[in-house]
Amino acid sequence: MTTTTLRKAGKVFLERRSRFGLRVAMRILLIVLWSCPAMAQGDDASRQLRILAIYSGASTLAANVAVASGIASVFSGAERYSRYEVYGEYRDAQRFPSEVDAERFVDALATKYRDQTIDVILTIGPEAVPLAVDVRARIAPGAPVVLGGILDSTREEFAKVEGLYAVVSRYDLRGTFELARQLQPNSKRAVIFTGSAVFDERWKSFAEDGLSDVRDIEVDFVSGLSLQQFRDRAAALDPSDILIILTIFEDADGRRFVPADALATIAEVSAAPTYGVYSSNIGRGVVGGSFSTFEETGAAIADKALKILEGPAGTNPTVEVPVSDVLDWRQLRRYGLDPERRPPESVLLYYDPGVWQRYRLQIIGALAIILLQSSTIVALIVMDRRRRRSAEELSRRRIEMARLSRIAQLGELSGAIAHELNQPLTSILANAEAGSALLAQDPPDLAEVGEVLRDIAEDDRRAADVIVNLRRLMGSGAGGFEDADLNKVVQSTLRLVSNEMLARGVTVQLRLSREPLMVKADVQQLQQVLLNLVINAADAMAEQDNRQMTISTGLDALDRRVLSVADNGPGLPEDLRDNPFKPFATSKSQGMGLGLSISQSIAEAHGGTLRFASSTRDGARIELALPPT
């Protein structure tokens, strides 16, 4: 009972004594004292319960992963699951076996959990038991300890320690040996592999004692080899032999392993059927074994912990995890072992009886459906061919429509293009006449003549560039995809329309990226898109005095190459704002309404997008975004 509660009870006691007498006040005080334990009990029922699980091995050990999964499955299904908080700590005794490492591990746990209330401690593996006893004495005196993943010998060793509960597992070497004999009745020899670690040597001693009475078959114990030597010995075995691999935490070269991984490396080359004594070996190349599975062990440990937390009174101090014979059907087939020889209660995993046996009814039904629908399939094939022909025809029509659209655009720009072409031709003529005059002088000024000839060459290239761009735009088909710089596409296209923009009184401002913007594109089609956008922008500003157009290139947040055309016109008409790319939708009296639709198709064919980024009464901006090369 808290101090505050006592003070309140005393105050009530004094008041009641003065008013009603000592007898009534004593009754009230007794009621308060009786109710406080009940309140404390209610608070305890809602308190977070902490479970500390100490594992002998490493966190990556297959056995520990399976045990942890079994523990988690029980707590996650428990009533008021959020009440339980499980901590996992891994000693890794196989790789760090010294007593100094053990003491440091205990000191670290005592420091880590000194401010935590630990309600129960779980151990997984025999090496974790003395650690748990020491940790309990330092941070949780009197807390129950559930010993898991141990044999009877470990339970008996700590039988005098109070508050210990045991979940005994059986790694049934003898059962695994008898299972192998039942599957291979004609075998004359059994070979037992163990590694060089302390844990491996304990397993070897246990196996020698457990099989010491075997007389009707030769039993060879093999240890002190490197992993490669183990593989060589396994590959040289007779197919009739029995190979049982216990644990290989370390080989003769001092290399350390996860035992299940070492076993898998040996089993893959073994000429003889391979068996294991741990459930974590199943699926790694062993035929089978007799054991308590690690998942069941973890579940039994967690179940025992829950019962203790609910009330240790009457809890059985020792439970055993059941043992099962487990076989891998794939390995039975690999070594030609008869599945009918297996024990009747054994578990057969990875059973794959074949397609016909498994899906006989489904196959028959599928064949019937195929026969019934064969005519439909033929009809669908014919329809698909017609659809493809129609799609090809539609594609040709679209290409032709795009070409006609380009020709129409060039028709609108014919005067400007003629002026653009006339300028270099006029300059060539003037320079040619000047050159003739210079040559007629005596003596002729050859340096000046050279300058004139260079001017003629430059003007010729300018005229040729105009003609090349015109020929490209007037072509009947697509020019093919190629690497192109978006900045150069803009510059070459604007040379065709610069005079047209001047004639319309449009001021064009270029804001091109300083870095090349490479795209994989059909240059002819990109020029068509830009021509259409520029002409549309110029048309939009036709009714106003101030006509400003900005053409810019750059990168967006997705690293796409962006070309934008902005104008200061009135923006999109109201009836086109919902879908300005709709075919045959136009605000021009002489327009067909195909320009933006065709431009959007070209953008999508290039893996890009064409959209109006903004459209207000102060102008519109349309963006073409293309992926990089």
Side-chain angles (χ1 to χ4, degrees):
M1 182 170 60
T2 64
T3 303
T4 302
T5 305
L6 283 172
R7 288 175 178 173
K8 292 181 178 179
K11 184 177 181 181
V12 172
F13 176 78
L14 294 174
E15 291 177 353
R16 295 296 184 185
R17 184 179 63 177
S18 62
R19 295 177 59 186
F20 303 105
L22 180 61
R23 185 176 179 180
V24 175
M26 286 298 296
R27 288 182 180 178
I28 295 174
L29 180 59
L30 288 174
I31 291 173
V32 172
L33 291 174
W34 175 81
S35 64
C36 288
M39 291 170 60
Q41 185 176 4
D43 292 341
D44 185 68
S46 61
R47 183 176 64 85
Q48 189 85 13
L49 299 178
R50 297 182 176 87
I51 299 95
L52 174 61
I54 303 177
Y55 295 78
S56 299
S59 61
T60 56
L61 200 64
N64 286 343
V65 173
V67 170
S69 175
I71 293 174
S73 67
V74 171
F75 279 111
S76 64
E79 184 180 2
R80 291 183 295 175
Y81 163 62
S82 60
R83 186 185 179 198
Y84 304 103
E85 190 171 4
V86 181
Y87 301 91
E89 301 290 347
Y90 297 84
R91 166 70 177 86
D92 202 356
Q94 287 73 31
R95 291 189 288 186
F96 303 96
S98 73
E99 291 296 329
V100 174
D101 290 325
E103 292 175 3
R104 290 173 177 170
F105 181 77
V106 172
D107 290 341
L109 294 190
T111 302
K112 183 175 181 179
Y113 295 100
R114 63 188 174 189
D115 297 326
Q116 301 287 337
T117 300
I118 302 299
D119 296 282
V120 64
I121 300 175
L122 315 179
T123 71
I124 296 87
E127 292 87 353
V129 177
L131 304 176
V133 174
D134 291 345
V135 169
R136 180 179 69 167
R138 296 175 64 174
I139 65 171
V145 179
V146 180
L147 314 182
I150 61 170
L151 303 176
D152 281 321
S153 57
T154 304
R155 176 183 60 80
E156 294 169 359
E157 180 182 351
F158 292 89
K160 295 182 180 180
V161 181
E162 294 184 358
L164 301 189
Y165 300 83
V167 176
V168 178
S169 301
R170 291 181 59 195
Y171 309 109
D172 192 359
L173 172 63
R174 189 56 179 255
T176 300
F177 178 79
E178 296 300 337
L179 175 64
R181 294 291 307 276
Q182 187 168 342
L183 293 171
Q184 298 176 246
N186 298 322
S187 179
K188 300 288 193 263
R189 182 174 65 157
V191 182
I192 315 295
F193 280 4
T194 53
S196 301
V198 175
F199 187 88
D200 302 331
E201 292 173 353
R202 286 207 300 264
W203 244 120
K204 181 181 179 182
S205 299
F206 177 79
E208 288 173 341
D209 292 340
L211 300 178
S212 60
D213 61 337
V214 176
R215 298 288 184 269
D216 59 337
I217 184 174
E218 178 185 354
V219 179
D220 290 341
F221 291 90
V222 179
S223 60
L225 301 180
S226 68
L227 182 62
Q228 184 57 49
Q229 290 172 333
F230 277 123
R231 284 170 57 90
D232 295 340
R233 287 290 295 272
L237 293 175
D238 188 274
S240 65
D241 290 340
I242 294 170
L243 174 60
I244 300 177
I245 303 178
L246 301 179
T247 61
I248 302 178
F249 277 100
E250 184 177 325
D251 67 1
D253 292 339
R255 297 173 62 199
R256 295 174 178 175
F257 307 96
V258 174
D261 294 340
L263 176 144
T265 302
I266 298 170
E268 69 179 357
V269 299
S270 176
T274 307
Y275 301 84
V277 293
Y278 292 106
S279 63
S280 56
N281 296 331
I282 296 296
R284 295 175 177 263
V286 298
V287 173
S290 181
F291 36 67
S292 302
T293 68
F294 290 116
E295 288 83 358
E296 291 176 341
T297 299
I301 294 171
D303 185 65
K304 172 64 70 174
L306 283 177
K307 290 180 179 178
I308 293 171
L309 290 171
E310 292 172 358
T315 302
N316 190 345
T318 303
V319 296
E320 291 189 357
V321 183
V323 174
S324 303
D325 292 327
V326 183
L327 296 168
D328 187 330
W329 184 82
R330 300 169 302 180
Q331 302 304 320
L332 291 173
R333 290 190 61 187
R334 172 187 173 186
Y335 293 106
L337 303 179
D338 186 2
E340 298 299 324
R341 292 184 179 274
R342 64 189 179 95
E345 301 300 323
S346 62
V347 178
L348 186 60
L349 300 179
Y350 307 111
Y351 178 57
D352 186 4
V355 176
W356 175 252
Q357 292 180 338
R358 178 179 293 179
Y359 302 111
R360 181 184 304 172
L361 295 178
Q362 291 89 333
I363 291 174
I364 293 174
L367 289 174
I369 293 173
I370 290 173
L371 291 175
L372 290 174
Q373 293 187 342
S374 58
S375 58
T376 303
I377 293 173
V378 172
L380 290 174
I381 292 174
V382 173
M383 292 175 62
D384 183 65
R385 289 179 178 176
R386 291 177 179 175
R387 181 188 60 79
R388 290 183 181 181
R389 286 196 295 267
S390 299
E392 292 173 358
E393 180 64 23
L394 180 60
S395 178
R396 286 194 295 269
R397 297 285 178 87
R398 284 177 178 172
I399 292 174
E400 182 62 23
M401 183 68 71
R403 188 179 73 87
L404 293 175
S405 177
R406 289 197 300 274
I407 293 173
Q409 288 175 337
L410 292 175
E412 294 180 25
L413 300 173
S414 58
I417 293 173
H419 182 73
E420 182 72 18
L421 193 58
N422 188 55
Q423 282 183 336
L425 293 178
T426 301
S427 181
I428 289 172
L429 178 60
N431 281 315
E433 292 174 350
S436 298
L438 290 172
L439 288 174
Q441 294 177 357
D442 187 17
D445 188 348
L446 297 181
E448 188 68 24
V449 171
E451 288 294 329
V452 169
L453 292 177
R454 280 189 287 273
D455 288 343
I456 291 174
E458 178 63 28
D459 290 330
D460 183 79
R461 281 191 290 269
R462 179 180 171 188
D465 186 51
V466 174
I467 294 172
V468 168
N469 285 324
L470 282 173
R471 182 178 296 170
R472 175 176 287 170
L473 283 169
M474 301 234 0
S476 60
F481 281 70
E482 60 186 78
D483 290 338
D485 183 359
L486 193 58
N487 292 329
K488 292 183 178 180
V489 173
V490 173
Q491 291 168 344
S492 63
T493 305
L494 286 183
R495 280 198 286 270
L496 295 175
V497 297
S498 58
N499 285 297
E500 177 70 14
M501 296 299 104
L502 287 174
R504 295 191 183 200
V506 177
T507 301
V508 179
Q509 183 179 6
L510 284 181
R511 294 180 181 174
L512 302 184
S513 170
R514 295 182 179 180
E515 301 295 330
L517 299 178
M518 303 306 296
V519 294
K520 181 73 72 173
D522 185 326
V523 175
Q524 175 192 49
Q525 294 183 359
L526 287 189
Q527 287 183 319
Q528 179 178 357
V529 172
L530 181 55
L531 275 175
N532 185 67
L533 300 184
V534 169
I535 292 174
N536 282 354
D539 290 341
M541 298 182 290
E543 300 300 327
Q544 60 192 51
D545 296 330
N546 181 25
R547 300 164 190 167
Q548 300 288 333
M549 184 187 304
T550 302
I551 301 175
S552 58
T553 60
L555 300 175
D556 66 3
L558 301 177
D559 197 38
R560 296 183 302 176
R561 281 56 178 149
V562 178
L563 164 63
S564 67
V565 177
D567 62 66
N568 64 339
L572 285 170
E574 189 69 30
D575 56 342
L576 293 181
R577 289 184 180 178
D578 292 338
N579 186 8
F581 301 100
K582 181 180 179 181
F584 305 108
T586 180
S587 60
K588 303 177 186 179
S589 59
Q590 302 298 323
M592 296 178 61
L594 292 175
L596 284 178
S597 177
I598 292 173
S599 297
Q600 186 182 52
S601 299
I602 292 174
E604 292 173 352
H606 284 71
T609 60
L610 182 66
R611 69 183 185 92
F612 276 91
S614 63
S615 177
T616 66
R617 294 182 179 180
D618 297 325
R621 181 164 61 89
I622 188 168
E623 289 184 352
L624 170 66
L626 299 174
T629 55

